[in-house]
C-alpha cells in the first residue's frame, strides 16, 4: 500500500464529513475515490494533504505517519494534488505558474543561472507534454477552464511527486481535453507514478482505474476493480441511486 488512513474522522459543527474512514490505496496503480456529493471525498483529500487537520485517525504514506503535518511537508514526502477549483496565479504566465512549483531560488534567484535555465526547459517540457506549450507566455486568467486544469496539473508534476491526487480532473473539461488527461494519467502511471482520483465522470473512472474505493456518508462502503464496482449492490444503491 502507498497511502493508508485508519479511522480518519472530521466533523464541521454538527455535520460529520468523515466517519472513521479506513482506506488503502495501491502503490503503482491508478486508484479512484468515488461517491455521491457530500460523501466526504474532498474532505478526505484535504485531511490527507494537510489542508485541514482530522479530528481523529491517522494518515500513513509509505509507512510514514503524516497525520496533521503541514501541506509543504506532505508535498516533500512525495504527494502532489490538484483542486476542484483550479489554483493558479491568474496574472502570471503559464510558464511562470509551472516554475512556481520549484523552490523559491528556482523561480526568482536562479532564472539567470544554469539551474534556472534547466528548470525553464523542464517546465516547458511539462507544458508540451500536456499540449499547452503554445500558451507558455499567456496569463493564466486568459486560458480556458480546461487549459487551466492542465496548467495546474503541469505545476503539480513539476514538483516530481511520486503520488498524485486529482480532485475532479474532468470537471468542466471538454471531451478533447478529457481524452488527453486520461491518456496522460495512464502514461504517467506506466512510468511509475501512483494516482488517486476523485471523479464523477464514470466513463473516465472505469476506463483508467485499476482500483476503486466508494465512499458514502464519510466512510468506504466498497472497493475493488472496476468490474466488481459496476455490479456492487451497495454502490448501485448509494451512488447510482438504483
Amino acid at each position: 500500500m502507498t497511502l493508508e488512513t485508519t479511522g480518519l474522522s472530521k466533523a464541521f459543527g454538527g455535520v460529520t464529513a468523515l466517519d472513521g474512514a479506513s482506506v488503502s490505496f495501491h502503490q503503482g496503480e491508478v486508484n479512484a475515490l468515488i461517491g455521491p456529493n457530500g460523501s466526504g471525498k474532498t474532505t478526505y483529500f484535504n485531511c490527507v494533504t494537510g489542508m485541514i487537520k482530522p479530528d481523529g485517525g491517522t494518515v500513513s504514506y509509505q509507512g510514514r505517519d503524516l497525520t496533521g503535518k503541514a501541506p509543504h511537508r506532505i508535498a516533500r514526502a512525495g504527494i502532489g494534488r490538484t483542486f476542484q477549483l483550479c489554483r493558479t496565479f491568474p496574472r502570471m504566465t503559464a510558464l511562470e505558474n509551472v516554475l512556481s512549483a520549484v523552490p523559491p531560488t528556482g523561480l526568482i534567484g536562479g532564472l539567470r543561472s544554469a539551474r534556472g535555465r534547466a528548470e525553464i526547459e523542464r517546465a516547458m517540457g511539462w507544458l508540451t507534454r500536456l499540449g499547452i506549450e503554445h500558451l507558455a507566455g499567456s496569463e493564466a486568467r486568459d486560458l480556458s477552464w480546461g487549459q487551466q486544469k492542465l496548467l495546474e496539473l503541469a505545476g503539480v508534476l513539476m514538483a516530481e511527486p511520486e503520488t498524485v491526487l486529482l480532485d475532479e480532473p474532468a470537471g468542466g473539461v471538454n471531451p478533447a481535453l478529457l481524452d488527453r488527461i486520461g491518456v496522460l494519467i495512464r502514461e504517467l502511471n506506466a512510468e511509475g507514478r501512483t494516482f488517486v482520483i476523485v471523479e464523477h465522470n464514470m466513463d473516465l473512472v472505469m476506463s483508467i482505474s485499476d482500483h476503486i474505493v466508494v465512499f458514502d456518508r464519510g466512510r468506504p462502503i466498497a472497493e475493488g476493480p472496476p468490474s466488481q464496482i459496476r455490479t456492487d449492490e451497495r454502490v448501485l444503491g448509494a451512488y447510482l441511486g438504483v
Side-chain angles (χ1 to χ4, degrees):
M1 303 302 176
T2 187
L3 175 62
E4 186 173 12
T5 61
T6 304
L8 201 65
S9 300
K10 183 66 183 179
F12 299 97
V15 178
T16 299
L18 292 175
D19 188 12
S22 295
V23 186
S24 297
F25 294 105
H26 298 174
Q27 186 170 1
E29 294 188 356
V30 176
N31 302 269
L33 176 59
I34 66 173
N37 288 326
S39 61
K41 304 181 300 296
T42 294
T43 300
Y44 183 86
F45 268 20
N46 287 339
C47 286
V48 165
T49 57
M51 304 302 296
I52 58 177
K53 291 187 176 182
D55 297 329
T58 60
V59 177
S60 176
Y61 180 66
Q62 296 183 347
R64 179 180 175 184
D65 185 6
L66 296 182
T67 312
K69 303 295 185 185
H72 71 276
R73 294 186 63 183
I74 293 173
R76 287 174 183 169
I79 299 176
R81 74 163 295 183
T82 64
F83 294 82
Q84 283 184 17
L85 300 178
C86 295
R87 296 196 176 189
T88 59
F89 299 103
R91 293 183 179 274
M92 291 172 61
T93 67
L95 178 59
E96 290 168 341
N97 266 273
V98 178
L99 285 169
S100 70
V102 180
T105 55
L107 177 59
I108 300 174
L111 285 178
R112 294 187 176 88
S113 69
R115 179 185 177 215
R117 288 192 294 274
E119 287 170 349
I120 291 172
E121 290 177 2
R122 192 159 63 88
M124 282 301 302
W126 282 118
L127 290 173
T128 300
R129 188 157 185 188
L130 272 75
I132 53 173
E133 72 280 3
H134 61 291
L135 300 170
S138 301
E139 293 186 352
R141 61 180 177 171
D142 294 327
L143 274 58
S144 71
W145 180 254
Q147 290 167 341
Q148 288 185 47
K149 288 262 189 181
L150 293 172
L151 176 59
E152 183 185 33
L153 178 56
V156 170
L157 294 170
M158 183 70 177
E160 299 291 347
E162 297 173 345
T163 297
V164 182
L165 278 56
L166 302 179
D167 198 348
E168 297 193 20
V173 176
N174 69 49
L177 289 181
L178 182 58
D179 287 343
R180 183 180 301 164
I181 290 173
V183 169
L184 181 67
I185 289 171
R186 292 306 304 184
E187 289 178 349
L188 291 170
N189 173 247
E191 294 168 11
R193 281 187 174 83
T194 299
F195 283 86
V196 183
I197 304 170
V198 165
E199 184 51 63
H200 288 292
N201 186 315
M202 288 298 99
D203 288 338
L204 178 65
V205 168
M206 295 297 174
S207 66
I208 68 172
S209 300
D210 302 301
H211 178 75
I212 300 174
V213 175
V214 185
F215 264 25
D216 187 34
R217 300 180 183 180
R219 63 171 60 185
I221 60 168
E223 65 175 288
S227 58
Q228 177 179 326
I229 295 301
R230 283 191 184 99
T231 58
D232 191 294
E233 292 184 359
R234 294 165 297 179
V235 178
L236 295 174
Y239 187 74
L240 301 178
V242 176

